[in-house]
Amino acid sequence: MTKQQNPFSDPVVLVTLGVVLVAVAFALLIFQPSGAQTIAPASGAWAQIVVAFVTGLTTGGLSCLAVQGGLLASSLAHQIEQDFLAHAPKTHPKKHAKKIESVPAPHANSALPIFLFLVAKVAAYTLLGALLGWLGSFLSLSPMTRAFLMIAIGIFMIGNALRMFNVHPIFRYFSIEPPKFITRYIRRTAKGADTFTPLFLGALTVFIPCGVTQAMMATALGTGSALMGAALMLAFTLGTSPVFFALAWLTTTLGAKLEKFFMRFVAAVVLIFGFVTLDSGLNLIGSPLSLQNLTRAWFAPSSASAPALDADGSLTVNVQNQGYFPRTLRAAADTAFTLDLVTNETYSCARDFVIPSLNFYQLLPASGTVQVNIPPQPAGTKLFFTCSMGMYTGQIVFE
Amino acid sequence: MIKQTFRVADMSCSNCAMKLESLEDSLDGVKEINASYHKLSMTVEYDETRLTAAQIVEAVKRKGYTAVPA
């Protein structure tokens, strides 16, 4: 192993700290009470960005490094070769500059290529997120379309997680293999020796995304907004940066066994997110098979939280930032009534109110009351309602 | 020139296929390598007068994988 120096004299450490600080600043910005107009801090969109950032910070870095580490090593190869020549001119440096497993801990001069690689990667993925979100805007014509997209994304994430767990060979097909002409082009470009190479290779990482990144790209597509897609991918790649840097730096000390352990951790996290996304999609189509709708009966509210009709023959749901209250309402079968949706300083995605089976969708005002006419329903019917992201749900039981 | 397929059962992602294909650049006598993570295999087109299957297996081993002629 290499001898230890004062870590703060190493620009790699300084750049790493810089990236960590940027990441922390970004995290603080996320939790700041006031913020952008288009992505309100209390909104579900903001929650998605936080999740993307935390996903990057916790699992994305390692997963990305496993797939894109070779490119980073290629970016560093020329610099390391020069460092090696400077320090040991009588040996054969090319042997030491070829593969990631032979890359020593980055030296002082490695800071710039690492930094350029990462900057290009963050920029490229942000643009990709914008593009995906923009493309998604053509797909998200209705909550139903979004629901099917979320279900597809959830299945994709679960499939990828099962692939990482090596459950069955069929799950290997959930991994997207880049076309050979792209991988060959990337490989040949990686031999470049100029400062442009790390920038270019960092940008090229969009063509070889890791499993977690692919899942995040699918989520960006599902946002249906260029701004949101870009913000999501920016948060994610920014989140991956500290871990990516730290692990790149520790490449020589991170053993294969430890890496395998982390990959299983990554797979577990992707699996959980996959099920959450799938469940949200099921909520959004009003399926009784979603986890929330299936388990609602187990936590069935008492009669106190399942009010009868108001005096004027209506039912009231309080739409709050944390969801819908009460979550279960009871109504008389075969009788039409009015559902009053009451908001009061509500800014979360609960405002995007959807009743899938009635094909009803409306963005509620932040404060106020919106009335929905509910047609007669036969006894035993459960009318599910949800937010447009499938996060918050409720039901009306007709009896 | 001959084409030979090898089974590489220990590939764990599509990046592994990329790593194996990079042998194109370092193995003398290789014309083309097509590796697939989906199929856990690699097909090598090479000049049998300059390279042997055993040498390919050894090169794959140096990359961290185990290739078995199919």
Side-chain angles (χ1 to χ4, degrees):
Chain A
M1 286 295 130
T2 54
K3 66 175 182 177
Q4 293 296 311
Q5 296 174 331
N6 176 8
F8 292 101
S9 67
D10 189 338
V12 175
V13 177
L14 293 177
V15 172
T16 305
L17 285 174
V19 173
V20 170
L21 285 174
V22 170
V24 169
F26 189 79
L28 289 173
L29 183 70
I30 285 170
F31 292 109
Q32 205 179 334
S34 64
Q37 299 299 313
T38 44
I39 303 174
S43 70
W46 206 249
Q48 263 190 307
I49 291 175
V50 174
V51 169
F53 180 75
V54 173
T55 305
L57 201 59
T58 51
T59 62
L62 190 88
S63 179
C64 284
L65 190 68
V67 174
Q68 299 163 356
L71 276 185
L72 177 60
S74 301
S75 302
L76 296 175
H78 176 69
Q79 192 60 55
I80 289 169
E81 183 180 335
Q82 285 193 333
D83 286 351
F84 197 91
L85 275 171
H87 291 99
K90 289 177 184 174
T91 57
H92 301 285
K94 280 186 179 172
K95 284 181 183 173
H96 297 265
K98 273 202 168 177
K99 295 179 285 183
I100 187 165
E101 55 265 31
S102 63
V103 175
H107 291 201
N109 294 336
S110 310
L112 186 63
I114 290 179
F115 182 74
L116 293 176
F117 180 90
L118 204 78
V119 166
K121 186 185 158 197
V122 169
Y125 273 101
T126 304
L127 287 174
L128 179 69
L131 179 67
L132 288 170
W134 177 72
L135 287 174
S137 68
F138 294 102
L139 300 173
S140 59
L141 298 173
S142 68
M144 207 51 66
T145 313
R146 186 180 294 188
F148 285 115
L149 199 56
M150 286 173 85
I151 290 170
I153 292 166
I155 291 171
F156 178 70
M157 290 170 86
I158 293 168
N160 246 312
L162 295 177
R163 174 186 69 78
M164 286 188 251
F165 277 126
N166 208 13
V167 170
H168 190 276
I170 193 78
F171 293 111
R172 283 202 296 269
Y173 288 90
F174 280 91
S175 169
I176 298 168
E177 286 195 336
K180 186 162 168 63
F181 75 91
I182 288 182
T183 56
R184 180 176 285 151
Y185 179 69
I186 290 174
R187 206 174 64 237
R188 302 225 159 126
T189 308
K191 290 174 182 169
D194 52 80
T195 51
F196 175 73
T197 302
L199 268 177
F200 190 56
L201 291 180
L204 284 184
T205 55
V206 294
F207 294 110
I208 49 167
C210 66
V212 182
T213 308
Q214 286 176 17
M216 200 53 67
M217 285 162 61
T219 311
L221 185 72
T223 62
S225 150
L227 176 67
M228 189 57 200
L232 207 68
M233 292 308 296
L234 172 66
F236 174 73
T237 44
L238 210 54
T240 63
S241 302
V243 182
F244 200 95
F245 254 131
L247 291 184
W249 199 44
L250 295 169
T251 293
T252 51
T253 55
L254 185 72
K257 277 188 178 177
L258 195 58
E259 192 175 313
K260 259 185 183 169
F261 168 77
F262 276 119
M263 286 313 289
R264 285 183 180 276
F265 172 70
V266 169
V269 172
V270 172
L271 189 66
I272 291 167
F273 283 151
F275 275 115
V276 169
T277 307
L278 178 65
D279 196 53
S280 298
L282 290 174
N283 279 330
L284 206 45
I285 58 169
S287 168
L289 298 176
S290 78
L291 191 67
Q292 285 187 43
N293 291 338
L294 277 175
T295 55
R296 201 187 310 278
W298 303 344
F299 307 101
S302 63
S303 55
S305 60
L309 291 176
D310 294 341
D312 61 351
S314 65
L315 275 176
T316 300
V317 172
N318 291 304
V319 181
Q320 299 175 6
N321 285 323
Q322 299 78 24
Y324 305 110
F325 301 96
R327 291 193 176 92
T328 296
L329 302 99
R330 299 188 192 285
D334 303 317
T335 309
F337 67 95
T338 305
L339 184 66
D340 290 340
L341 303 168
V342 181
T343 50
N344 184 17
E345 300 285 317
T346 307
Y347 299 101
S348 74
C349 64
R351 275 174 66 199
D352 283 348
F353 189 82
V354 181
I355 305 177
S357 62
L358 298 183
N359 205 18
F360 175 86
Y361 167 71
Q362 187 168 340
L363 178 64
L364 307 175
S367 295
T369 301
V370 169
Q371 293 190 318
V372 185
N373 293 320
I374 306 293
Q377 303 288 327
T381 302
K382 285 181 178 174
L383 201 63
F384 297 108
F385 53 87
T386 175
C387 70
S388 64
M389 290 173 68
M391 284 169 60
Y392 304 121
T393 59
Q395 65 178 4
I396 304 170
V397 180
F398 292 83
E399 38 190 37
Chain B
M1 285 285 172
I2 60 165
K3 259 188 186 178
Q4 188 167 6
T5 301
F6 297 83
R7 180 164 171 76
V8 187
D10 45 5
M11 276 195 257
S12 61
C13 66
S14 47
N15 188 49
C16 299
M18 247 178 91
K19 281 186 191 171
L20 291 173
E21 285 175 356
S22 72
L23 286 171
E24 269 181 15
D25 305 330
S26 55
L27 265 184
D28 279 342
V30 169
K31 185 186 174 198
E32 189 175 9
I33 298 178
N34 283 302
S36 168
Y37 165 58
H38 291 168
K39 296 174 185 168
L40 293 185
S41 70
M42 61 183 276
T43 303
V44 186
E45 188 176 359
Y46 65 99
D47 184 346
E48 70 273 30
T49 60
R50 295 165 63 194
L51 192 65
T52 66
Q55 285 173 311
I56 294 170
V57 168
E58 184 55 35
V60 169
K61 193 177 174 186
R62 283 198 298 273
K63 287 279 179 190
Y65 303 94
T66 309
V68 179

